[in-house]
Amino acid sequence: MNISIVGTGYVGLVTGTTLAELGNTVFCVDIDENKVERMKQGIVPIYEPGLEEMFLRNIQAKRLFFTTDIKEALDQSDVIYLALPTPPGGDGSADLSFVLSVANQIGEMITSYKVIVNKSTVPVGTADKVRAVISSKTDIPFDVVSNPEFLREGFAVKDSMNPSRVVVGSSSEKAKEIMAKIYQPFTNTGVPIIFMDEKSSELTKYAANSFLAVKITFMNEIANYCEKVGADVDKVRLGMGSDDRIGHRFLFPGIGYGGSCFPKDVKALIKSGHDEDFTFKILEATEEVNKKQKVILVDEIEKYFGTLKGKKIAMWGLAFKANTDDIREASSLDNIEILLEKGAQIVAYDAIAEDNVKKIVGDKIAYAPDMYTALEGADCLLIATEWSEFKNPNFELMAEKLNNKVIFDGRNMFSMEQVEDTGFYYKSIGRKTIG
Ligand SMILES: NC(=O)c1ccc[n+]([C@@H]2O[C@H](COP(=O)([O-])OP(=O)(O)OC[C@H]3O[C@@H](n4cnc5c(N)ncnc54)[C@H](O)[C@@H]3O)[C@@H](O)[C@H]2O)c1
């Protein structure tokens, strides 16, 4: 099948590459000329493990193309995927301007039947809006399908090639048949394809992300309570997670969730609720708890030193989580902002996300070329991302480099046994403080 993907970011590029890998011819469209030029030269513009190999293979096989010209792509495609940004507007609602402006272009440009597949995360009712915009511009038949994306950055290729399920919201039998054909290589191996109406499909994505945000936040509150009563969240986590109704995943406490999805999707669902005179009390509480959780260690650092003025903090990790260069809503950024406000200096190390942070924070902080250089002359270490290179550090070398043997660990990177005899003061989340 010939497929266009409009919006070639994290979701669009991975989806496009996956669909090409499944044998389709895929035209990836983006308005960012620089990005398109780089992709044409065989450069993957994002950090995503495993993507480059598949990307290059499909370019070489002439199944994957890049263009800024949407008309050129649409003319050659039967199916048009939208993987456009839906960032939070001022009031928290999902900003649909990217999606609706492309819908407008599609309405103006199509000359034959198309299926428009929305992969962006959008509020209930968006398929109807997209349909209305396109219908206002053309009499050519078309169908709009909701096909939310569940990939995780850092595991995007794996998730995209081995999805747990494919959700398709559509009221058109013809469109459903086309979607079933596209995903046949997955359903053939037992992956369920779940058909439903567009509204239920749109809500499925928000419900899934919000549930995960609640799960993380619930565990963060349990962790904070553990500290009050002297319980160990690692033990509680294992004890709880062994119940298969609960499961072990998303029970790891830390300095809050960030990223391009959970914060914006929780906000958007709250706002969608308000629009219907409905209050998502759980989500409002989740947002409030997470906001505090992201910077919970700043108070601890301040308490430890008395003041943050003039203190030099080494920060390991800047990405919102490991295995990605994405820094959208990263806890590191909240910590940087408050620490700087309170007069601290920061030297950060993140081999993958540094460039993206530089674009926002610039030289307000210093950047180190490796994890140990970041520690030189610093008063303490703050860990903000769970990169695996931090898991087994050389504590002796750390002690040599740091002014004080003090670690604030926002991602519970080390076991208590690892730190116990090192002489370090070690404050993590939901566990006893050592030292
Ligand atoms: N990133 C994730 O992990 C993830 C997972 C599931 C769902 N989603 C959802 O998928 C959607 C896309 O997210 P993303 O992270 O890929 O965003 P992104 O910002 O990485 O990519 C969006 C791309 O769209 C391009 N674009 C903007 N306007 C355009 C236009 N008019 N024509 C063509 N291209 C245009 C941008 O240049 C950018 O390259 C969002 O709704 C998001 O919530 C994201």
Side-chain angles (χ1 to χ4, degrees), residues 312 314-318 346-355 358 365-376 387 389-390 401:
K312 190 171 163 187
M315 187 180 273
W316 280 0
L318 293 167
I346 297 165
V347 187
Y349 165 68
D350 189 316
I352 302 296
E354 176 186 314
D355 287 349
K358 269 188 184 154
I365 66 171
Y367 303 89
D370 62 74
M371 58 194 261
Y372 294 108
T373 307
L375 306 178
E376 276 168 11
W387 284 105
E389 70 173 312
F390 306 149
K401 303 269 181 189

Side-chain angles (χ1 to χ4, degrees), residues 19-219:
L19 291 173
E21 182 78 5
L22 298 182
N24 302 287
T25 302
V26 179
F27 304 92
C28 293
V29 183
D30 208 284
I31 42 166
D32 184 335
E33 288 177 12
N34 182 271
K35 195 182 238 185
V36 169
E37 203 37 56
R38 289 171 68 209
M39 291 190 288
K40 279 184 176 171
Q41 290 168 19
I43 301 167
V44 179
I46 52 168
Y47 176 82
E48 193 55 57
L51 182 57
E52 190 175 31
E53 196 191 326
M54 204 160 95
F55 169 86
L56 292 175
R57 183 167 58 240
N58 284 285
I59 292 176
Q60 214 156 33
K62 302 214 177 321
R63 285 194 299 260
L64 188 58
F65 300 91
F66 306 97
T67 181
T68 52
D69 184 348
I70 183 169
K71 174 97 173 79
E72 177 196 329
L74 298 192
D75 282 347
Q76 301 179 74
S77 304
D78 318 300
V79 180
I80 306 161
Y81 277 73
L82 308 183
L84 293 154
T86 48
D91 59 0
S93 62
D95 175 356
L96 290 179
S97 59
F98 297 86
V99 171
L100 296 180
S101 99
V102 170
N104 200 58
Q105 285 180 293
I106 292 173
E108 284 172 348
M109 289 174 183
I110 53 170
T111 53
S112 59
Y113 173 80
K114 311 281 178 201
V115 181
I116 292 98
V117 181
N118 186 29
K119 269 227 162 283
S120 297
T121 303
V122 291
V124 172
T126 303
D128 291 340
K129 286 186 183 162
V130 169
R131 206 174 279 126
V133 169
I134 301 176
S135 297
S136 72
K137 297 280 166 184
T138 187
D139 290 331
I140 307 272
F142 67 91
D143 280 307
V144 177
V145 166
S146 160
N147 175 213
E149 180 53 61
F150 299 103
L151 64 75
R152 298 160 298 164
E153 286 176 21
F155 301 91
V157 173
K158 192 171 154 257
D159 289 348
S160 195
M161 287 302 291
N162 308 284
S164 53
R165 78 291 204 193
V166 176
V167 171
V168 172
S170 174
S171 41
S172 150
E173 289 308 317
K174 186 173 176 182
K176 278 195 242 178
E177 257 175 50
I178 292 173
M179 297 308 291
K181 199 166 157 204
I182 292 176
Y183 292 118
Q184 194 272 342
F186 295 148
T187 47
N188 196 34
T189 62
V191 173
I193 183 162
I194 307 168
F195 288 108
M196 55 182 83
D197 59 284
E198 295 92 326
K199 288 182 176 172
S200 304
S201 169
E202 289 164 341
L203 186 54
T204 297
K205 175 65 190 175
Y206 279 113
N209 269 4
S210 298
F211 180 78
L212 294 172
V214 170
K215 194 171 178 189
I216 294 170
T217 306
F218 175 82
M219 209 52 206

